[in-house]
Amino acid sequence: MSDTRLLASSGFRLFWASDTVSMTGSYVTMVALQPLVVNVLHATTTEGGLLQAARWLPYLLFGLVAGVLADRYRRKPVLVGADLIRFGLVGLIPLLAAFDRLSMPVLIGLIAVIGTVSLAYDAAHQSILPRLVPKSRLTEANARLGQTDAAAQMVGPALAGGLVQVVGPATAILLDAVSYLASGLLLTRVKVAEHIERPESRHLGRELREGLAWVYRHRVLAPMAYTAHVWFVFNSMVNAVLSFYVLRTLGFDAVALGVITTVGGVGGVLGALLSTRASRVLGAGPTIVVGHWLTPIGYVLIPLSGHGTVGLVLLCAAQFAFGFGLGLDGPPEMAYRQSVTPDRLLGRTNATMRSLNRGAIVLGAPIGGLLADWLGIPAALWIGIAGLTVQAVAITLSPIRTIS
């Protein structure tokens, strides 16, 4: 199946379209939330870290169970239902703000509930793709989805920056709510054959252990999982304070924040475009290694930046390197995981790695916020960068580099 045939598949094409719409709306919210939290609700960096942690806390608490359920039931109804529920929940944010009922505790609670629904969506989302395309084309399919994510990161933040200036950050989030509705409606049209194996008896504990054992006893998946957990801890420390650094310390506005994030999306698009070719020329393992090194290398520019045009350029360069690295290493990592894992274990494998990765944010984001309040934002940034450097070294020395 060539790229042309990949796009000719109506199931994958609709799946891809739903991703495009949903991710664009999500990036609007990602940017619009920052001025809402920093400038409207006047949150501290610790509260900002807690908000980021709340989004991923359900992954830590319920992620493994979600993986079991994703292997027990058809995945398409889960995807559609999750999108429609998130349409209603995200829409509550601008509604509460309009009636002056939005506060940091309320926002943190809402984000935690949205995160719980997103957990179910993600477990099903990563597990349904091998039903839509053959294993031999999973790298290309994941690259296309990676390009969508990166393109959404280009369009969404730029759109958010303008909307925040015109209608305010809370109202701008309405676009995200509408995107979930559109995504859910698109997914209802996806035709996919889902055969679920139903053994005579079910045992939650045994199924959980089976999923964990597959990931953490595998020669390559185990180091892939462990190093990913470390990456998410330290990357979340940086991200927890980045918007405060840009908006409060350096004094840039929401438009500048949108530009910085958009440039990261440009890097992501280019990285995803080159990912398949790099995997063929260098091998999947070396491509993954290179991608992981780009994050700490790019992030070094953040605490070195300052006010004015030069500072903005350095921040954009940092996000470009970060986005390029994610676009480059994401498709071969995901394709390897999907290709070596039996279908009956895909839900548990994806949920195990994704949930514990997101659970790492629950640890890292509050620590980043606390360190920023205690030692200052630059110190918190440098600590995060040091941790990401150690993680890149670990990736370089691990069996991951041997993936062909």
Side-chain angles (χ1 to χ4, degrees), residues 123-146:
H125 181 274
Q126 291 186 332
S127 302
I128 201 173
L129 185 60
R131 290 287 184 177
L132 298 174
V133 299
K135 285 186 177 182
S136 62
R137 295 298 172 183
L138 281 172
T139 297
E140 287 90 337
N142 279 294
R144 299 294 83 76
L145 295 176

Side-chain angles (χ1 to χ4, degrees), residues 18-254:
S18 75
D19 243 31
T20 303
V21 173
S22 177
M23 291 306 303
T24 300
S26 295
Y27 278 111
V28 168
T29 291
M30 186 183 76
V31 172
L33 269 180
Q34 307 312 314
L36 177 66
V37 167
V38 176
N39 299 330
V40 178
L41 299 179
H42 305 291
T44 64
T45 53
T46 299
E47 288 175 323
L50 290 173
L51 177 66
Q52 189 175 137
R55 169 69 174 82
W56 306 112
L57 180 61
Y59 287 74
L60 182 62
L61 297 178
F62 314 119
L64 299 182
V65 175
V68 173
L69 296 178
D71 286 335
R72 286 186 179 183
Y73 302 104
R74 292 190 301 123
R75 290 142 190 173
K76 175 182 168 181
V78 174
L79 294 174
V80 174
D83 268 343
L84 297 180
I85 293 171
R86 289 188 293 184
F87 160 64
L89 291 172
V90 173
L92 283 176
I93 296 175
L95 181 63
L96 290 171
F99 289 94
D100 199 26
R101 291 292 183 267
L102 189 65
S103 64
M104 279 304 296
V106 170
L107 183 59
I108 289 172
L110 262 178
I111 293 298
V113 176
I114 293 169
T116 302
V117 180
S118 296
L119 164 62
Y121 179 92
D122 288 341
H125 181 274
Q126 291 186 332
S127 302
I128 201 173
L129 185 60
R131 290 287 184 177
L132 298 174
V133 299
K135 285 186 177 182
S136 62
R137 295 298 172 183
L138 281 172
T139 297
E140 287 90 337
N142 279 294
R144 299 294 83 76
L145 295 176
Q147 290 164 15
T148 293
D149 188 2
Q153 190 177 345
M154 293 168 56
V155 176
L159 185 58
L163 285 174
V164 168
Q165 296 295 102
V166 175
V167 300
T171 305
I173 293 173
L174 267 178
L175 184 61
D176 190 17
V178 174
S179 76
Y180 282 128
L181 176 61
S183 174
L185 294 176
L186 284 169
L187 286 171
T188 61
R189 300 177 56 199
V190 172
K191 294 180 179 180
V192 56
E194 295 192 83
H195 172 69
I196 305 298
E197 295 181 12
R198 299 190 183 278
E200 294 181 0
S201 63
R202 296 283 196 179
H203 189 280
L204 179 61
R206 183 174 61 247
E207 290 175 271
L208 286 174
R209 289 192 297 271
E210 188 179 13
L212 288 167
W214 173 255
V215 172
Y216 291 104
R217 293 179 183 173
H218 194 279
R219 177 178 173 272
V220 177
L221 289 181
M224 191 176 284
Y226 288 126
T227 54
H229 302 338
V230 174
W231 187 90
F232 275 92
V233 168
F234 290 102
N235 188 66
S236 65
M237 289 174 60
V238 174
N239 284 330
V241 301
L242 179 59
S243 61
F244 289 87
Y245 184 64
V246 172
L247 296 173
R248 189 172 289 173
T249 303
L250 300 183
F252 291 108
D253 59 15

